Amino acid sequence: MEGLMMHRPLRIADILAHAAQIYPEEGIVSARTEGDIHRQSYAQTAARVAQLAHGLIAAGVKPGDRVATLAWNGYRHFELYYAISGIGAVCHTINPRLSAEQMAYIVGHAEDSLLFFDTTFLPIIEGLSGQFPPSLRYVAMADEDKQPESKVELLNYEAMLNGQPEQFDWPEFDETTAAALCYTSGTTGNPKGTLYSHRSTVLHALCTAISLPKVLREGSRILPVVPLFHVNAWGLPYSAPLTGASLVMPGPGLDGPSLFKLMDAEQVYSAWGVPTVWLGLQQEIAAQGRLTEGFGHLVVGGSAAPRAMIEAFEKEGVDVCHAWGMTEMSPIGTVGNLPPSMEDAPLSEKLEIKRKQGRRAFGVDMKIIGEDGSAQPQDGTAEGELFVRGNTIAAGYYNNPEATAEAIDGEGWFGTGDIARISPNGTLSITDRSKDLIKSGGEWISSIDMENVVMGHPNVANCAAIAVPSEKWGERPMLIVVAKGEPPAPEALRDMLEEHFAKWQLPDDILFVEELPLTATGKVSKLTLRRQYAAAG
Ligand code: ADP
């Protein structure tokens, strides 16, 4: 028997409409690339989003079109999220830290029609416009009187809004309609696109709100250091307005002193980002000899948070919540809240729990598969590759059947490439990574791509790129080479790599060895190498 309840499609536009009515005074504070602090309530934001939606339609954007952004965290980027998806188009966020080659690839693959960019990224636009599709048009996200001069023809963001009506009758479409597109690095080859729907996005916002009630609530002030260009800033542009929390957007100032100043002035309660960023903030807190005003909560994820970092924040009175997830999971999979029974436990006991990745969020099913291919018990001891399933998890990659076939198993579960243990109460412990990727400062480097380039040198017989631990970046790439004849100069290898990789992705160290350790099946044993060079970072 069917239930007899209405079925209304879940729409992203309804989140902001709700915030504008119910929490009109909450909103967005932005440290702008123009250098000033900008404030805007959700009610004002909704009016500007309506204007932008009219502007997009006037510019010829149609449902299903991909509209790209290359921007820091700020109110205009937030407005683009809502206006683009609201009219049924797809907001494609581009990660400016990608190499030029990868950026050109994803813009071509997504077939973007418009590209909105923060003016700090003008050099990227000018450098790559020749490799982007000729039909692509560019919009500078700046005040009209700050419109940059350029050899590339540029539209202006504010001019697009000017004179447009402040109301928009948001169209109704199926809730499975695509809303946003975010590319993530593959272990080899080109980045792969995760295509979120209105349904997955609204459900993710609701599930996150349930997982973090202490933070996602009316009047709370949250700082997303995690970028809007990388996994939707962990869903904050949706979960914050949904619950009445305000957002404090840091723009490009992500160093310790800039974050300290902004958090202090704006009384940020909860800050979200990768461990590398918090190291900088911690140093500034030590230099200033105090916490920022009102600071009490930290969400850290993207890479494992070191125990020492969690301990230092906890000792200062900041409640640290360790979270795990991925682009393909919208992204939140687990959240590290302590159960109330642990509140008065000694710090050492709390840390034992907090250094793990947290408990499963509602709607994320998990299984771990051992080396023999069988499902392992969730007893906190058995280990295996982690697979996930749920309404907020990618069913495949955009226009990429090969990568989809690789990622989804025969039963429809998504393989994360993480090795994990799960305890009976659903607490996740990530113990290793099976995917051949290195994560530095929260961003990926493909070890296989690096090896393929280096193998192109006539004097290289074999090589392996591995992650070595780094206090600052989490991991850094190290290249280990077996030479054929005269060993090549490290600079020559770096020059080769520079043609395909961004500068920050290049290996810090290049070592020459006689031979590489092999596994039983004859593959290079990265595990042995990682253990051997663990102390090198
Ligand atoms: P994000 O970095 O925003 O979470 P990505 O898709 O770039 O999303 O990376 C996801 C991967 O990052 C995971 O599969 C895992 O390898 C790693 N990761 C994310 N969070 C954690 C964490 N808390 N601890 C350990 N590894 C993590």
Side-chain angles (χ1 to χ4, degrees):
M1 187 190 279
E2 286 260 308
L4 193 56
M5 302 303 285
M6 291 185 189
H7 179 88
R8 304 281 306 138
L10 299 173
R11 289 189 309 184
I12 290 172
D14 291 323
I15 295 180
L16 188 58
H18 181 78
Q21 184 185 20
I22 310 300
Y23 313 114
E25 301 303 320
E26 299 298 328
I28 306 168
V29 177
S30 310
R32 301 205 305 170
T33 49
E34 283 93 332
D36 55 356
I37 297 286
H38 174 275
R39 288 167 206 284
Q40 187 172 283
S41 70
Y42 284 135
Q44 290 167 322
T45 306
R48 279 174 55 86
V49 167
Q51 290 185 305
L52 177 57
H54 287 292
L56 289 170
I57 288 171
V61 177
K62 306 249 171 349
D65 283 359
R66 273 75 63 206
V67 177
T69 65
L70 186 61
W72 300 108
N73 289 5
Y75 64 105
R76 290 189 182 115
H77 204 173
F78 178 101
E79 290 163 1
L80 283 161
Y81 264 55
Y82 279 89
I84 296 169
S85 63
I87 63 169
V90 180
C91 178
H92 169 207
T93 50
I94 303 174
N95 187 338
R97 294 173 188 144
L98 291 178
S99 67
E101 188 173 300
Q102 290 189 325
M103 220 182 279
Y105 168 81
I106 66 168
V107 171
H109 186 263
E111 299 175 281
D112 295 318
S113 57
L114 275 182
L115 194 162
F116 288 79
F117 67 96
D118 265 334
T119 52
T120 42
F121 297 126
L122 183 59
I124 296 184
I125 302 293
E126 292 183 333
L128 283 179
S129 59
Q131 293 173 55
F132 287 155
S135 58
L136 183 63
R137 287 172 299 155
Y138 304 92
V139 188
M141 294 161 70
D143 290 342
E144 280 184 86
D145 61 359
K146 302 242 170 56
Q147 178 75 352
E149 295 276 322
S150 174
K151 59 176 191 199
V152 178
E153 195 182 325
L154 302 178
L155 301 167
N156 177 268
Y157 185 93
E158 295 299 331
M160 213 171 209
L161 274 73
N162 250 341
Q164 296 288 2
E166 294 186 351
Q167 271 86 36
F168 195 96
D169 192 9
W170 299 108
E172 266 194 25
F173 34 69
D174 197 284
E175 63 184 10
T176 54
T177 301
L181 177 62
C182 179
Y183 283 78
T184 184
S185 301
T187 46
T188 177
N190 289 313
K192 308 170 286 187
T194 301
L195 189 59
Y196 309 97
S197 67
H198 282 257
R199 173 183 159 82
S200 70
T201 306
V202 174
L203 289 176
H204 183 263
L206 288 166
C207 292
T208 315
I210 301 166
S211 295
L212 284 156
K214 196 174 162 188
V215 180
L216 289 163
R217 57 174 167 79
E218 186 173 3
S220 146
R221 295 169 82 81
I222 305 176
L223 176 92
V225 174
V226 50
L228 280 111
F229 60 69
H230 185 163
V231 285
N232 309 321
W234 295 347
L236 275 174
Y238 309 111
S239 56
L242 179 73
T243 54
S246 281
L247 290 170
V248 179
M249 304 282 210
L254 306 180
D255 56 290
S258 305
L259 289 177
F260 187 98
K261 192 166 158 228
L262 182 67
M263 288 173 69
D264 204 36
E266 300 302 330
Q267 306 200 359
V268 166
Y269 168 63
S270 179
W272 297 34
V274 296
T276 302
V277 175
W278 304 135
L279 214 60
L281 179 66
Q282 236 163 14
Q283 279 165 4
E284 186 61 15
I285 288 171
Q288 299 270 350
R290 67 177 179 96
L291 278 187
T292 57
E293 195 67 34
F295 185 27
H297 191 271
L298 188 81
V299 180
V300 58
S303 295
R307 192 180 188 277
M309 168 179 287
I310 302 176
E311 184 174 10
F313 274 116
E314 289 277 335
K315 280 187 170 157
E316 295 271 2
V318 177
D319 181 4
V320 179
C321 173
H322 192 180
W324 167 89
M326 23 184 350
T327 302
E328 294 90 333
M329 298 176 68
S330 302
I332 292 180
T334 59
V335 176
N337 293 320
L338 281 185
S341 58
M342 287 289 299
E343 248 156 47
D344 298 322
L347 182 59
S348 59
E349 277 179 38
K350 287 186 182 171
L351 288 173
E352 268 321 287
I353 296 183
K354 291 202 173 210
R355 70 176 179 78
K356 296 182 179 168
Q357 276 73 9
R359 289 182 289 181
R360 186 168 73 79
F362 173 75
V364 179
D365 296 341
M366 296 182 169
K367 67 174 180 184
I368 42 177
I369 301 295
E371 279 185 354
D372 62 356
S374 68
Q376 299 296 301
Q378 303 196 1
D379 59 4
T381 311
E383 214 175 60
E385 185 182 347
L386 176 63
F387 284 75
V388 291
R389 187 177 68 177
N391 286 307
T392 59
I393 291 158
Y397 293 104
Y398 176 59
N399 265 347
N400 195 337
E402 298 81 25
T404 299
E406 246 174 65
I408 307 292
D409 79 0
E411 294 171 346
W413 294 69
F414 177 86
T416 64
D418 286 327
I419 309 293
R421 294 185 191 131
I422 302 173
S423 67
N425 75 352
T427 299
L428 180 75
S429 236
I430 301 285
T431 55
D432 203 352
R433 191 184 295 150
S434 65
K435 51 195 168 196
D436 234 329
L437 288 164
I438 299 160
K439 201 164 205 190
S440 177
E443 304 286 352
W444 292 115
I445 305 165
S446 163
S447 37
I448 297 179
D449 283 352
M450 189 171 280
E451 290 155 10
N452 282 340
V453 172
V454 173
M455 289 299 283
H457 193 287
N459 290 22
V460 171
N462 203 356
C463 70
I466 58 160
V468 289
S470 150
E471 200 188 323
K472 180 161 184 202
W473 302 108
E475 295 173 3
R476 287 296 301 151
M478 174 190 267
L479 184 65
I480 303 166
V481 180
V482 179
K484 193 161 46 180
E486 183 69 20
E491 297 72 47
L493 298 180
R494 264 202 196 92
D495 289 347
M496 282 175 82
L497 287 168
E498 236 187 296
E499 284 176 38
H500 306 275
F501 287 85
K503 268 217 161 59
W504 65 268
Q505 295 179 316
L506 299 180
D508 295 334
D509 290 309
I510 300 180
L511 296 185
F512 291 89
V513 295
E514 288 296 315
E515 57 182 9
L516 293 171
L518 299 180
T519 64
T521 54
K523 288 193 235 164
V524 171
S525 174
K526 295 266 174 101
L527 188 65
T528 311
L529 286 172
R530 280 205 299 267
R531 289 194 177 143
Q532 202 171 334
Y533 294 102

